[in-house]
Amino acid sequence: MSQDQQQQQQQQPQQYGITPPISTDPPTEQQLKLTDDLIQTLRDYGLFESEQEAQKRVIVLGKLANMVKDFVYEVSKQKGFPDTLAKAAGGKIFTYGSYRLGVHGAGADIDTLCVFPKHVERDQFFTIMYEMLKKRPEVTEIAAVPDAYVPVIKMHFSGIPIDFICARLAIARVPDDLDLADNNILKGLDERCVRSLNGSRVTDDILRLVPNVNTFRIALRTIKLWAKSRYIYSNVMGFLGGVAWAMLIARICQLYPNACAAYIVNRFFFIMSRWRWPQPVLLRHLEDGPLQVRVWNPKLYPADRSHRMPIITPAYPSMCATHNVTDSTRHIMMNEFKLGVDITNKIFDGDANWKDLFTKSDFFRAYKYYLQITSSSESTESQLTWSGLVEAKLRQLVLKMELVDMITLAHPYIKAIDKIHYCLTAEEAEKVIKGGTLDNRSFTVEEGSLETDHTSILKENGLVTDESDIKRLFTTTFYIGFEVAGEGKKLNLVWPVQEFTKLVKSWDKYDEKEMKITIQSIKGCCNNAYSIHKKNKKKIQFVYLLMNNSSNVKI
């Protein structure tokens, strides 16, 4: 290589990702000042947990790590392993998601992966490990979902939400220094184990592919807070989940490798508001690997061509992290990106501050019509699994609503609203099942509090005297706001509601006696989901539909 070629190569900026950077300019004094202001604003919102909270997470993860080794040891002994080999079989946990990325806040969940050797079966994770966890006094609201796309045990451990997934590796023992980065670790695994490993491998790849991890973290914390404030942070509801937002920010960091966080946030909104979907977002070129598995490729697979906002994971085998996005949710997010451009431009011009970016979306005043979907059952354990199933399938109702001629947009609310009701009569129970509430005997509870018992409070207030008269019901309510074209015409939602009801009732664990679902319309709304009362439930002028007892629909 000649001296001129060497000098030219040295002058070329380092490339992160699949294209050269747009700009390698260092930040200006104004941009650095705005970044300092941004960090202080994030602190004001409580986005950085205390040292005490951080230490509590470390303790919980340590307990989980020990339990995994005990679990593998127990299974090994059941299979006749001598004691020394059973202890040597190992077992290890990895974290992924926001905790691993270093952008979790106070009260956030920890995504945790458990890996074990080949003689341990996945079913044993959902039986033996599940029972071990259930016996722990620190564990509450535990629910196993072994049939999920990524099988998971959901729980609270010492008050911290944990999503606990597993992967069975094709090795005889799992050493403490196991590294998941090598693609060969995927050999001999089934698709569910590959998907489980993907979370950890993707998170680690993202951190390796950004030019400045600290800048990435500040920008990502900002966008996570913004997306949650605008109610567009939810993979299951058809928006984007944590890993997708992380990949978008990582891509902007690659394009502006020397920029500070404030400028990255502004460029994020500018570029995303103009992105030509379905052009995919890639952090690096797709790679081949040792498996005969499907890698995202819209040229080969029709299903991949249907993805509306493809954001592709960097770890092999690359997958689309945003296959849940619908036409409606994409439209909503694109509008939010445009609003974000306007606000951040004003911040840079000195006409607004960072708090303006985090203004809460007024979902319950944004639409004229809403569907209220209420799932209910008689025990916490049953309600956790039943409401989880309804939530996982709700996107299918949105897709079916989009096919109705008069509906131009269907917007699912990302938060489920959990309530506990203390019924004294069969009529009250029927009212609750249909989405109603009881004066002074219906309590909204936060996540992780479904096992709260309000009986003593009711007794103190003289609202009940004999506990045996009480029937406790648990409800989880979801909302979909929708826009209608052609006012005065008949709108018929029988088909999407019937299809959705059939879909959730076809679940193999569905219990017709205990699990109920009702769907009804609400015309207009009030300040927020927590204060929706029966006075707001008005029939829309279009059609009145009465289906069976567990699916009332008023449109």
Side-chain angles (χ1 to χ4, degrees), residues 291-314:
L291 305 181
Q292 293 297 316
V293 295
R294 175 171 159 171
V295 175
W296 186 83
N297 188 335
K299 293 179 180 178
L300 286 181
Y301 306 113
D304 292 349
R305 287 197 292 275
S306 71
H307 296 154
R308 298 164 178 84
M309 287 180 71
I311 302 171
I312 310 305
T313 58

Side-chain angles (χ1 to χ4, degrees), residues 291-358:
L291 305 181
Q292 293 297 316
V293 295
R294 175 171 159 171
V295 175
W296 186 83
N297 188 335
K299 293 179 180 178
L300 286 181
Y301 306 113
D304 292 349
R305 287 197 292 275
S306 71
H307 296 154
R308 298 164 178 84
M309 287 180 71
I311 302 171
I312 310 305
T313 58
Y316 172 83
S318 293
M319 307 174 188
C320 178
T322 49
H323 59 273
N324 281 350
V325 172
T326 73
D327 288 334
S328 292
T329 55
R330 180 180 63 180
H331 178 81
I332 292 160
M333 286 187 281
M334 291 301 289
N335 282 342
E336 292 292 346
F337 292 149
K338 292 170 186 174
L339 286 173
V341 173
D342 294 340
I343 295 169
T344 53
N345 281 346
K346 287 179 181 177
I347 292 170
F348 273 72
D349 291 339
D351 297 327
N353 57 54
W354 287 111
K355 287 186 178 179
D356 296 324
L357 184 64
F358 308 126

Side-chain angles (χ1 to χ4, degrees), residues 69 127 181-182 211 226 231 256 278 373 418 439 498 531 542 544:
K69 290 185 184 297
T127 52
D182 186 353
W226 164 79
Y231 300 133
Y256 299 89
I373 301 96
D418 292 317
D439 291 340
Q498 281 183 334
S531 58
F542 304 145
Y544 177 83

Side-chain angles (χ1 to χ4, degrees), residues 378-445:
E378 298 178 14
S379 71
T380 55
E381 190 170 354
S382 176
Q383 184 61 13
L384 284 167
T385 54
W386 175 229
S387 63
L389 182 279
V390 173
E391 181 180 38
K393 300 297 183 185
L394 199 66
R395 186 182 71 95
Q396 299 300 322
L397 178 55
V398 172
L399 288 169
K400 289 174 173 56
M401 289 175 70
E402 288 178 345
L403 297 175
V404 176
D405 285 342
M406 291 173 60
I407 292 179
T408 57
L409 186 101
H411 184 171
Y413 186 56
I414 65 171
K415 293 185 177 180
I417 297 146
D418 292 317
K419 291 185 180 181
I420 306 173
H421 313 264
Y422 297 81
C423 307
L424 300 179
T425 65
E427 289 74 20
E428 286 185 349
E430 185 67 18
K431 177 183 177 182
V432 164
I433 288 170
K434 292 180 179 179
T437 57
L438 309 175
D439 291 340
N440 302 315
R441 282 185 281 115
S442 291
F443 298 86
T444 300
V445 293

